[in-house]
Amino acid sequence: MNKVHFILGVHNHQPIGNFDFVFEKAYVKSYLPFLEAMERHPPIHWNMHGTGILWEWLEHHHPEYIDRVAEQVKQGRLEILTGGYYEPILPALPDSDKAGQIQKLSRYIRQRFKVKPRGMWLAERVWEPHLTKVLADNDIEYTLLDDTHFLSTGLSMEEMCGAYLSEEQGKTARVLPIRQDLRYAIPFKDPGETLNILRQYTSSSGHKALVMFDDGEKFGLWPETYQHVYDEGWLEKFLTVLESNKDWIITSRISDYLTAHVPHGRVYLPTASYSEMGEWTLPAPAQEVLTDLQKHIPPEEKEAAKRFVRGGFWRSFLTKYEESNNVHKKMLRVSEKVHKVAGDVGAPSAKPNLRGQKLLDALWAGQCNCAYWHGVFGGLYLPHLRQALYRELLSAELQADRVLQGDRIQITHEDFDKDGRPEILIEAQDQNLYLSPHNGGSLFEWDLRKEGINLQNVLTRRQEGYHKQLLDFVAHQDAADSSKVKTIHDMVRVKEPGLEKRLFVDWYRRTSLLDHFIHPNTKLDDFYRCQYGEQGDFIKTGYQADVMEDKYPQVRLTRMGAVWTGDQKNMISVEKTISLTEPRGWQVVYRIQNVHGEACQMWFGCEMNLAFSSQDKQDPQEHLQQTQWVRRDHGYGLVLKAQFDLPMDLWEFPLETVSLSEEGFERTYQGTVLLAHSKISLQPGQVWVRSWRVGVQPE
């Protein structure tokens, strides 16, 4: 009888910083019931990848689960894959961290499951050609990628049925395509759909293999899947169907298949990920173009077009989101410091000392991929996930700098964000201030190092490609079809009414020390919506930077720019001097001068964006003639206080985004905007001077 191999696998993962109740919910609704189902069907061989983050959590909360997994491995039914311990996007890491992450998870698997892992899971299937050598150098024989990667080389869908061999600098590794048609069929369509696909690839030699390896969370944790997969018995039916057709369907561990069959051929894969990721990396206008293009492809040509029509690649998130680039470049900077202290762990034989390993673990935890990007999952849009990365990176940085820097205050001029222009980085024992002279002289990172908190960890409101989907859904929601279970890519759910009315777009990055000259007709609501008149040119432009280094260093940022008041143009000098204050905080002194032009009246405002652990006010607030502003943050255990030398008017409002997650469209608090503003009347040559301090202390 003709036969075919079917490789079934699940990838289980929860990100650094996710809430404990989410881990538990995933365990109860997905990981445990899936394992129990597999235990009831001993003839079926299968594959699993778990991230080090999840294995650690299970060791502490459900070690019996790991024992049961180990028993499946011992029986020869289950193959465990390695990968980056903290689930990083491997190509985005320094080479030594690539190796260290893989080696750490491989060591755990050898110790806990008593087997040497032969293959690895590649986070988000983000592939770049140099990874072939990385795999080979770390004793990894194979990895799994999406069919998108292979189709881009000109291979056809009919050839997505086994392993290929890839090469880099003479080093080789096997790569297997994951079939998108199987990912979308399992568990959302009748098991017969999978049988129909498999039947097309049977042969007398049985040398072909079809792979379905996908998120374990789709089996119970994704919306509406628990009822479908378990209560209604989809998984039990599916496994029974596989068993009843075992005369022609060979369920395989990946290594067993690779041992028995040679690769189909040699292949050189381009930089790619799965097809949905290619769409998500694009800016919203480009996403719309791609979506429209795909809609116009005739149905009979869609399969062929899939080989050539695709979006961008993962690194584009670092240009799409400045906040993503910020944490990535922070990671690179911390990695450089850590490896100066811990040494190079890139070689398999390298063994850092205990202190070095602690540093590396914090650094590697800060490389967990989820908050570096955004697609159908919350990811970058979830503040607690971003903050978790900063917590780990700041912990590693603090430990490294105790060796490298001691208690000295260090000021460096360097191109931190890698855009060709230098930033100013002030690093002290208790805090960091990162300033961007070319971006409005703004403060874009303020780290409380011991607490591991970046108080500038906010997210700018942007247009997203899926916002059009929300508007279309609201317009046609009565026609929505909820009669069948949908994949997470097809679902449209709205967690609260009226979200379409909150689709505000910021035209500049939300940072601090942004200098506004506001149109006199502007209302608080206009500024909240970022739909107001800006009469100056000080926001997205460059400032001259001068550093005065002393016991308490100061940075002076100066710009000569234009301010329009009606038809009158005045040349205005804005000078702001920033200095550190004790114990943790900073002071800014503003000096605004009417350098050239007639007497004028301007409305000046300094914007600050501050990241707190939770939201305390729902609506915009106005505070008149205040000498201080105080915010207590119970989650962080801190009190932040802004103290003004003279009374200032204040506007305060929550910075909220509307984004898409696995639960649907939702509103997320990103931080609090505080605008300190004042009406200024200046005669020719006259100067306006104000100052204030912003600092934190324990609650």
Side-chain angles (χ1 to χ4, degrees), residues 311-451:
F313 76 117
W314 188 86
R315 291 189 194 230
S316 296
F317 285 117
L318 304 180
T319 56
K320 182 176 181 179
Y321 301 108
E322 282 295 328
E323 298 85 354
S324 173
N325 188 62
N326 203 100
V327 70
H328 180 259
K329 299 311 180 285
K330 178 74 172 182
M331 178 272 292
L332 294 180
R333 180 173 175 79
V334 173
S335 178
E336 184 178 359
K337 291 182 177 184
V338 165
H339 285 287
K340 287 180 180 177
V341 175
D344 186 4
V345 295
S349 60
K351 293 183 179 179
N353 57 34
L354 184 61
R355 181 184 67 182
Q357 189 60 57
K358 186 178 180 182
L359 280 167
L360 290 166
D361 287 345
L363 165 66
W364 292 341
Q367 295 170 343
C368 178
N369 82 87
C370 304
Y372 282 87
W373 62 280
H374 172 64
V376 73
F377 300 97
L380 176 71
Y381 271 80
L382 299 180
H384 66 284
L385 296 188
R386 297 196 309 273
Q387 191 58 63
L389 297 184
Y390 280 110
R391 182 187 67 231
E392 299 293 343
L393 294 174
L394 289 169
S395 172
E397 182 182 55
L398 180 63
Q399 296 173 70
D401 275 348
R402 283 173 177 164
V403 178
L404 300 173
Q405 185 177 324
D407 59 0
R408 301 189 312 274
I409 297 176
Q410 181 171 301
I411 301 180
T412 57
H413 295 251
E414 66 176 73
D415 184 9
F416 171 82
D417 58 5
K418 309 307 177 190
D419 69 347
R421 298 170 293 183
E423 284 74 37
I424 299 174
L425 313 182
I426 307 174
E427 296 171 316
Q429 189 173 8
D430 295 324
Q431 61 181 333
N432 298 327
L433 294 183
Y434 290 1
L435 298 161
S436 178
H438 57 269
N439 191 23
S442 59
L443 172 66
F444 65 91
E445 183 168 329
W446 176 20
D447 300 319
L448 307 181
R449 301 181 73 173
K450 292 180 180 178
E451 290 84 358

Side-chain angles (χ1 to χ4, degrees), residues 153-393:
T153 69
L155 291 172
S156 66
M157 200 63 198
E158 288 70 29
E159 294 172 288
M160 302 296 105
C161 57
Y164 289 83
L165 200 64
S166 192
E167 175 270 334
E168 168 71 9
Q169 299 182 48
K171 301 291 184 72
T172 60
R174 299 193 193 192
V175 288
L176 295 92
I178 301 171
R179 305 263 311 201
Q180 188 185 69
D181 51 2
L182 290 176
R183 282 201 298 119
Y184 277 42
I186 299 172
F188 306 105
K189 297 180 180 179
D190 186 87
E193 184 80 16
T194 298
L195 292 187
N196 291 337
I197 296 171
L198 292 171
R199 193 171 285 113
Q200 299 173 45
Y201 292 86
T202 59
S203 66
S204 57
S205 63
H207 69 285
K208 297 180 180 180
L210 272 64
V211 180
M212 201 307 292
F213 209 121
D214 206 358
D215 296 346
E217 295 79 18
K218 72 192 292 186
F219 296 95
L221 185 63
W222 285 9
E224 302 177 12
T225 56
Y226 186 86
Q227 178 182 355
H228 172 66
V229 172
Y230 301 111
D231 291 344
E232 297 175 1
W234 185 94
L235 183 57
E236 190 65 30
K237 180 181 177 182
F238 178 72
L239 297 176
T240 301
V241 165
L242 291 180
E243 278 189 305
S244 63
N245 288 274
K246 63 183 179 181
D247 55 337
W248 66 276
I249 299 176
I250 307 170
T251 56
S252 299
R253 299 186 307 175
I254 299 171
S255 291
D256 294 337
Y257 170 76
L258 296 180
T259 299
H261 299 280
V262 299
H264 289 342
R266 185 174 57 252
V267 68
Y268 292 92
L269 301 171
T271 298
S273 181
Y274 48 88
S275 59
E276 299 92 344
M277 178 71 83
E279 297 175 14
W280 298 333
T281 65
L282 298 175
Q287 280 191 46
E288 292 182 11
V289 171
L290 179 61
T291 300
D292 290 341
L293 178 62
Q294 291 170 334
K295 286 179 180 178
H296 287 88
I297 298 173
E300 66 274 11
E301 296 179 13
K302 285 189 180 295
E303 199 62 57
K306 182 181 176 182
R307 299 164 66 184
F308 308 108
V309 179
R310 59 186 181 132
F313 76 117
W314 188 86
R315 291 189 194 230
S316 296
F317 285 117
L318 304 180
T319 56
K320 182 176 181 179
Y321 301 108
E322 282 295 328
E323 298 85 354
S324 173
N325 188 62
N326 203 100
V327 70
H328 180 259
K329 299 311 180 285
K330 178 74 172 182
M331 178 272 292
L332 294 180
R333 180 173 175 79
V334 173
S335 178
E336 184 178 359
K337 291 182 177 184
V338 165
H339 285 287
K340 287 180 180 177
V341 175
D344 186 4
V345 295
S349 60
K351 293 183 179 179
N353 57 34
L354 184 61
R355 181 184 67 182
Q357 189 60 57
K358 186 178 180 182
L359 280 167
L360 290 166
D361 287 345
L363 165 66
W364 292 341
Q367 295 170 343
C368 178
N369 82 87
C370 304
Y372 282 87
W373 62 280
H374 172 64
V376 73
F377 300 97
L380 176 71
Y381 271 80
L382 299 180
H384 66 284
L385 296 188
R386 297 196 309 273
Q387 191 58 63
L389 297 184
Y390 280 110
R391 182 187 67 231
E392 299 293 343
L393 294 174

